[in-house]
Amino acid sequence: MARGGSTNGGRGSQGSLIQNGEVRAIEDSTSPYFLHNGDHPGLILVTNLLRGSNYHTWRRAMLMALTAKNKLGFVDGTIPRPLSTDLLFPAWTRCNSMISSWIINSVNRDIADSLLYHDSAYEIWNDLCDRFNQGNGPRVFQIKRQLCGLVQGSLDVSSYFTTLKVLWDELKEFQPVPVCQCGGLRVWSDHQHKEYVLHFLMGLNESYAQIRGQILMMEPLPAINKVFSLVIQEERHRNIGGNSAIPVSEPLAFGSNYNAPTGSSGGSKTKRDKVTCTHCGFIGHTKDKCYRLVGYPPGWRVKSKTSNSMANNSEVINQVNANSTDQAVSSLTNDQCQQLIQLLSTQLASASSIFTDSPSTGPSISNFTGTITGEDDWEG
């Protein structure tokens, strides 16, 4: 009885050790059977869903996510399905269903419908690999063809470089990496990075010819990341220079107003600063100094510059229409103003033939509008 009791006690202790081992496998955070509180079937491990053509980038992202979750063994076959009598079978089933849900959530809906009836995450993973994993030859040809035709075009420098780097990294996955201790691998790596630099510079737009020439003259050529940094700084410098352009007229206007005399609105004297005669409408004198009222000085002769007369008479017409302080004009109606403008315009065409040497000669257009003179001639 004692022997039997000890035997049963041994079996009980062995079973408790197995159960304790199962508990430790589930509760231990380093165990692949451990599920965190944040793990749930609706979790999406990658943002870029599998569409078919992006299988290689999607596969690499999924491997990184599963490795971080410590669940990579469920898809690569290193954690096989245990027997149904194994105490770890419930834990394996729970983890397998969780990982299968993660994979299905990370693919396109059309692809996900064809994965629902697989029994394990390992089968789902192999099914996707068989369907979308292309051979090395066709994929390498496709990548190199894209690299040959890729130029910056309408892309900014950052987008252009990112597209190049994605293709370079994917192509590197298909290239064998030699293993040696003689230092030849470093020479081969330096040559490959030099090819990256030349490829990146060749695809830039011609507007970057200057910075490209400066980089090519460097000896040795800088790393590809350093080259990208130099080009992106050039692009930002252009954007800053284009957005902060200051009009030239503003500092000039400021400088002219800075030295303006007291009582003047500006440093330079323009036609808008000159006074206008309310009697004849000419610019440059006032009514109390108008020759038509106070009389012409002795020996006065009318200047026969037709071009100046035409320009000044045009100014008279504009002043007549715009001067609201003139009592005679303000009393006219719109129709009368229009008739007056038409009359003046008709007589302007023959102004040169109407001018006379004497200011008191019969009626002329000059007597109506005032004598055509400069500003200094009107000063008394």
Side-chain angles (χ1 to χ4, degrees), residues 289-324:
K289 294 183 180 182
C290 182
Y291 288 171
R292 296 187 57 80
L293 295 178
V294 302
Y296 293 93
W300 176 262
R301 298 181 64 85
V302 180
K303 295 182 179 180
S304 58
K305 294 182 180 180
T306 306
S307 58
N308 294 334
S309 301
M310 298 290 289
N312 291 330
N313 285 330
S314 299
E315 294 178 359
V316 171
I317 297 174
N318 295 330
Q319 291 296 331
V320 170
N321 289 330
N323 191 359
S324 61

Side-chain angles (χ1 to χ4, degrees), residues 322-349:
N323 191 359
S324 61
T325 61
D326 193 346
Q327 297 179 356
V329 177
S330 60
S331 61
L332 297 177
T333 63
N334 293 333
D335 295 335
Q336 292 174 344
C337 289
Q338 294 297 328
Q339 293 176 3
L340 178 61
I341 293 173
Q342 293 178 1
L343 176 61
L344 293 176
S345 300
T346 303
Q347 294 185 3
L348 283 176

